Amino acid sequence: NAGVTQTPKFQVLKTGQSMTLQCAQDMNHNSMYWYRQDPGMGLRLIYYSASEGTTDKGEVPNGYNVSRLNKREFSLRLESAAPSQTSVYFCASKSGGGGPYGYTFGSGTRLTVV
Amino acid sequence: AQSVTQLDSHVSVSEGTPVLLRCNYSSSYSPSLFWYVQHPNKGLQLLLKYTSAATLVKGINGFEAEFKKSETSFHLTKPSAHMSDAAEYFCVVSASSGNTGKLIFGQGTTLQVKP
């Protein structure tokens, strides 16, 4: 089925460990996004990629890095995980342009850092 | 800069009674506004969107929202709640800056539906 695929769905890390969250979309969308969801705070933008080859910081980028590997894939890396990064992470993609149309969200990655 | 405030963190209704989830926004120009729903342990699903066409927007599952510029509000309503409506709801505004398509989320409102 067409859409946004995130892996893994669940992950437990120890403080200081590193990991990469993977995201892939098969809708030929230009823009991709990483959000984190925390209770009582809605979703906050970590990083985004408006088009292949570009990435920019969002609202809460500290402690994260991203790679737009190609048009389909946008990965999020935690170099040294901290308990404050315990969250649910959502990847999203969108068809091109600045308008609000065509957003698709993945099903999320639930990350716990102990 | 835009922002969105959901006025209730938790709303409880009885099945068959009306639902009202309140959202106020702040924007320096006419915004694009959305409501998303998230069922437990699921991803986000778009309920409806306002993009400067009709001020009363109809969405899926019987939900609708009315854009009121004078009140800077975009409240979500449904005439009769169903048990399956129990979920978290997010009011969202599309960011204005550049060509990024970024979304700004409200804090969320948890809807409880009692039998």
Side-chain angles (χ1 to χ4, degrees):
Chain A
N1 292 336
V4 177
T5 303
Q6 291 183 235
T7 55
K9 294 190 182 302
F10 301 94
Q11 183 71 49
V12 178
L13 288 179
K14 294 182 178 179
T15 298
Q17 286 185 317
S18 63
M19 80 161 293
T20 299
L21 281 64
Q22 307 286 352
C23 175
Q25 52 91 8
D26 57 6
M27 297 169 286
N28 202 37
H29 284 172
N30 288 323
S31 303
M32 298 185 73
Y33 308 81
W34 276 106
Y35 290 87
R36 61 177 287 173
Q37 181 181 21
D38 301 293
M41 303 186 76
L43 276 72
R44 292 178 293 167
L45 183 64
I46 305 171
Y47 270 94
Y48 66 99
S49 171
S51 61
E52 185 179 358
T54 69
T55 61
D56 286 286
K57 295 178 180 179
E59 183 184 357
V60 287
N62 291 345
Y64 305 94
N65 286 301
V66 290
S67 296
R68 184 73 183 267
L69 304 170
N70 47 55
K71 193 170 186 179
R72 291 187 63 248
E73 298 172 288
F74 188 40
S75 63
L76 178 71
R77 183 161 178 83
L78 288 71
E79 291 290 352
S80 179
S84 61
Q85 294 177 304
T86 294
S87 188
V88 181
Y89 292 84
F90 286 97
C91 178
S93 72
K94 180 184 170 302
S95 54
Y101 304 102
Y103 247 95
T104 302
F105 283 87
S107 57
T109 295
R110 190 173 296 272
L111 176 67
T112 302
V113 182
V114 297
Chain B
Q2 287 111 316
S3 66
V4 63
T5 301
Q6 292 181 242
L7 300 175
D8 307 292
S9 59
H10 188 270
V11 170
S12 181
V13 301
S14 297
E15 190 175 21
T17 64
V19 175
L20 170 64
L21 305 183
R22 299 182 296 162
C23 172
N24 286 351
Y25 70 91
S26 173
S27 178
S28 56
Y29 66 103
S30 184
S32 295
L33 292 159
F34 310 77
W35 278 97
Y36 280 87
V37 61
Q38 183 181 32
H39 288 91
N41 299 313
K42 299 290 186 183
L44 292 112
Q45 180 183 19
L46 180 66
L47 274 179
L48 50 82
K49 60 185 177 187
Y50 166 77
T51 55
S52 73
T55 56
L56 182 62
V57 182
K58 293 188 183 299
I60 61 172
N61 300 334
F63 284 95
E64 62 182 36
E66 186 172 7
F67 174 74
K68 292 187 176 181
K69 186 175 181 179
S70 60
E71 299 176 10
T72 62
S73 69
F74 189 58
H75 300 336
L76 181 70
T77 60
K78 183 174 181 178
S80 176
H82 191 274
M83 295 297 293
S84 61
D85 294 328
E88 188 159 21
Y89 292 79
F90 294 97
C91 183
V92 181
V93 63
S94 179
S96 63
S97 57
N99 198 33
T100 62
K102 293 185 288 185
L103 298 180
I104 299 168
F105 284 75
Q107 302 91 328
T109 298
T110 300
L111 176 65
Q112 179 187 21
V113 182
K114 297 177 289 187

